[in-house]
Amino acid sequence: MCRKPINVGSQLVRCAVSTCNSGKIKLVFCSAGCWDAHLPNARHRDAYFTEEIARRQ
Ligand SMILES: [Zn+2]
Ligand SMILES: [Zn+2]
């Protein structure tokens, strides 16, 4: 998971693969490049992400 703080209202990248985006674990990243960096660890067969705007928790 990205360790940079993501401010409310800024764009974030969410891993859309179900193993990364189900249950309590929802992986979000500050950029597409940052998301790309987790792929070697995650071993997704079909990797894709969605972009969204960070909302207040
Ligand atoms: Zn992932
Ligand atoms: Zn990041």
Side-chain angles (χ1 to χ4, degrees):
M1 190 179 300
C2 183
R3 282 161 209 269
K4 285 187 205 165
I6 296 170
N7 297 319
V8 173
S10 64
Q11 186 173 305
L12 62 81
V13 169
R14 179 188 299 277
C15 186
V17 179
S18 58
T19 51
C20 281
N21 197 32
S22 62
K24 291 177 191 170
I25 310 155
K26 292 190 168 55
L27 290 185
V28 294
F29 305 90
C30 63
S31 67
C34 197
W35 170 84
D36 212 57
H38 98 285
L39 296 181
N41 301 320
R43 299 165 195 262
H44 297 323
R45 243 182 292 167
D46 298 302
Y48 54 105
F49 64 83
T50 56
E51 292 179 329
E52 49 187 81
I53 301 300
R55 272 169 287 181
R56 208 175 296 276
Q57 297 288 323

